[in-house]
Amino acid sequence: MADDANQDREAAFNRGLEAYRAGCHFDAYDIWTQVYQDEQNETNRRFLQAIIQVTNAMHKVRHNAELRGSVHLLERALLKLDALPDVHGGIDLATFRDATRICLAEIKRLLSVAQKNLEDSFIPPLKSVGSGPVLEPRVSPPSKDPETLFQNGLDAYAAERFYDAHEIWEDYRRTRPESDPSREFVKGLILVATAMHKLHRAKSPSGAAQLLELALDKLRDAPEGTSGLDVKAVVDEVSRVHADIEALEATGAEGPIEARYIPAIRRSA
């Protein structure tokens, strides 16, 4: 029965693919959202979320002429696509990722000249290069225990899975009441994780430096021991890496970015 259910989900994924290619973006969005909600594997979830966000953006720009909203969706999708391999789920993601960047640039150009019509040639293509994704149905809901979520984020960050850390800490932050001062501190950690993703995956020192500067504004005011962390040590590490990245950007250095450009984030001793 479980195999039959998974075959149904894989068939649904393919129906979404057909809808996307036919320009029925809302239908594709609707189908893939259900597949995403029932998916267990984190890489598959990131993949599905990325194509859902691009699909939603195409629906907004092609049917509602909502260009600004589509820009935000495409930028979020690219964060996920940059963390995925060039081929996943039977899809040529290298081509899709590059086309998404070109599409984003064109939408920004249209906004700058007060135009709204995006030509079909700018819609990112989803090209099949093999069999479809091996989906893993969700067996049980992910843990929403705040302590477990926060630790999972630390573990993901330590493993240099920066996008995962960002997502997990976002989930953790949503468990905290609005009055909890740790929310701003965790927002700072989320910005650090996003900065590291930009630096080590997207190779964007300037974007990383800007994000770390924003992160420091949120981290500095936190009381010592917030979320069980050595706040001063975190601030010192982020400040060090921020300065090092600005120096790296100034030299215009190219090539692999060293691990020392990752601020250490650890529990208090």
Side-chain angles (χ1 to χ4, degrees):
M1 292 294 289
D3 288 344
D4 289 343
N6 216 37
Q7 288 175 3
D8 288 345
R9 295 176 65 241
E10 289 167 2
F13 174 83
N14 290 327
R15 288 198 304 275
L17 204 54
E18 291 170 4
Y20 181 92
R21 289 169 176 164
C24 301
H25 298 117
F26 183 81
D27 291 342
Y29 167 84
D30 198 37
I31 293 166
W32 283 334
T33 297
Q34 185 59 57
V35 176
Y36 167 79
Q37 289 172 345
D38 294 335
E39 179 59 29
Q40 175 77 18
N41 182 277
E42 285 300 324
T43 303
N44 284 343
R45 284 174 63 82
R46 188 181 306 130
F47 163 70
L48 289 165
Q49 200 172 18
I51 63 173
I52 286 167
Q53 286 172 335
V54 173
T55 302
N56 192 9
M58 293 304 96
H59 176 74
K60 283 182 177 293
V61 75
R62 297 304 306 284
H63 300 284
N64 300 334
E66 177 53 52
L67 271 66
R68 293 192 185 281
S70 67
V71 165
H72 181 59
L73 285 164
L74 292 177
E75 288 175 339
R76 289 168 60 196
L78 282 167
L79 279 175
K80 299 174 182 67
L81 291 169
D82 284 337
L84 289 164
D86 288 345
V87 175
H88 184 81
I91 299 297
D92 177 359
L93 286 186
T95 297
F96 185 68
R97 182 167 50 231
D98 290 345
T100 299
R101 283 200 168 86
I102 292 169
C103 179
L104 175 59
E106 174 62 11
I107 291 173
K108 288 181 175 179
R109 187 193 70 80
L110 291 173
L111 278 168
S112 72
V113 295
Q115 294 182 7
K116 294 184 176 181
N117 296 323
L118 181 73
E119 295 181 8
D120 288 351
S121 61
F122 286 102
I123 296 175
L126 282 168
K127 298 179 180 178
S128 296
V129 291
S131 57
V134 178
L135 300 173
E136 297 179 19
R138 190 182 294 283
V139 177
S140 59
S143 173
K144 291 297 181 182
D145 171 64
E147 178 59 26
T148 300
L149 280 174
F150 188 79
Q151 184 59 50
N152 288 347
L154 286 176
D155 293 342
Y157 183 90
E160 299 184 14
R161 293 176 12 244
F162 302 120
Y163 186 81
D164 289 345
H166 159 280
E167 291 283 282
I168 294 166
W169 281 332
E170 284 282 14
D171 284 344
Y172 169 78
R173 191 168 178 267
R174 283 191 281 269
T175 70
R176 314 316 298 155
E178 291 291 336
S179 58
D180 189 338
S182 72
R183 283 175 59 87
E184 281 298 284
F185 179 75
V186 174
K187 182 62 177 177
L189 297 181
I190 290 166
L191 288 166
V192 172
T194 306
M196 292 302 97
H197 179 84
K198 278 191 172 291
L199 182 66
H200 293 271
R201 301 290 185 269
K203 311 301 182 188
S204 174
S206 61
Q210 291 170 9
L211 287 166
L212 289 180
E213 189 171 349
L214 293 172
L216 283 166
D217 287 341
K218 298 184 180 299
L219 296 171
R220 286 191 182 107
D221 294 335
E224 191 55 57
T226 298
S227 300
L229 297 185
D230 183 336
V231 172
K232 182 180 182 303
V234 171
V235 170
D236 287 348
E237 273 287 285
V238 174
S239 297
R240 175 188 65 78
V241 172
H242 178 247
D244 287 349
I245 291 173
E246 287 192 322
L248 179 71
E249 185 183 5
T251 63
E254 296 183 356
I257 297 173
E258 300 171 21
R260 68 186 179 89
Y261 293 105
I262 301 174
I265 299 176
R266 302 188 184 94
R267 293 281 193 183
S268 299

